[in-house]
Amino acid sequence: MTPWLVTAAVTLLLTAWVAAAETVVERLPLVRALRLREDDLPGAAPLLWLIEHRTTTRNALLLVTIAVRATFVAAALVLFDAWGVVAAVLLSMVLGEVAPRTWTLRHLESAGLRLAPGVLLAVRLLDPPTRVLIDLGRFLVGTRAD
């Protein structure tokens, strides 16, 4: 297996993981996350943190999404011709977005409990570069003039 094929496969898996994590963070109500924590279920504490810190979580997941999608497209460009890239991108949309989001919506709580520890680790590791990028964006946009 070529390194580019491994890269494409890994980034496709990461895309699916991020899509599932984003779905949990967007759709799981805070009250439900609190109840899961009260029930002391494994993964409930990090899940609650992610829900309570949705903006921080969204920002870190956005950074991951951009990085893995750009890497996936680069790998597809190396591996395939123009039609192959189109097919790879469509496959990525189905396997990396639609399928994981649909599955996660059907199993929101259990998916959230399973995903939360890894997502929390990623969010904490990516918080410094994410904050730098957010601050840079705010600097470029400037202050509100209204």
Side-chain angles (χ1 to χ4, degrees):
M1 203 180 276
T2 70
W4 286 108
L5 192 55
V6 171
T7 299
V10 168
T11 55
L12 186 58
L13 290 172
L14 282 171
T15 299
W17 181 77
V18 170
E22 286 175 339
T23 302
V24 168
V25 169
E26 294 296 328
R27 297 293 189 99
L28 190 70
L30 176 61
V31 171
R32 189 61 196 136
L34 285 164
R35 285 195 187 126
L36 292 170
R37 179 64 181 112
E38 285 174 5
D39 292 343
D40 202 27
L41 295 171
L47 179 59
L48 178 59
W49 189 95
L50 295 170
I51 301 301
E52 288 178 331
H53 300 89
R54 286 184 208 261
T55 301
T56 300
T57 302
R58 282 186 204 121
N59 290 340
L61 290 175
L62 179 60
L63 179 62
V64 174
T65 297
I66 292 167
V68 297
R69 286 195 182 154
T71 305
F72 177 80
V73 170
L77 285 169
V78 169
L79 291 168
F80 306 114
D81 61 14
W83 287 110
V85 171
V86 170
V89 169
L90 291 174
L91 184 66
S92 170
M93 291 304 295
V94 172
L95 296 178
E97 287 290 333
V98 177
R101 287 181 188 276
T102 301
W103 183 87
T104 301
L105 284 170
R106 291 181 182 162
H107 309 281
L108 193 59
E109 290 177 13
S110 62
L113 291 168
R114 280 190 226 134
L115 291 167
V119 174
L120 180 58
L121 176 63
V123 168
R124 287 190 172 155
L125 290 173
L126 294 171
D127 190 53
T130 300
R131 285 181 187 274
V132 168
L133 292 172
I134 297 296
D135 290 345
L136 179 59
R138 287 181 179 148
F139 172 77
L140 293 173
V141 171
T143 59
R144 192 173 216 185
D146 293 331

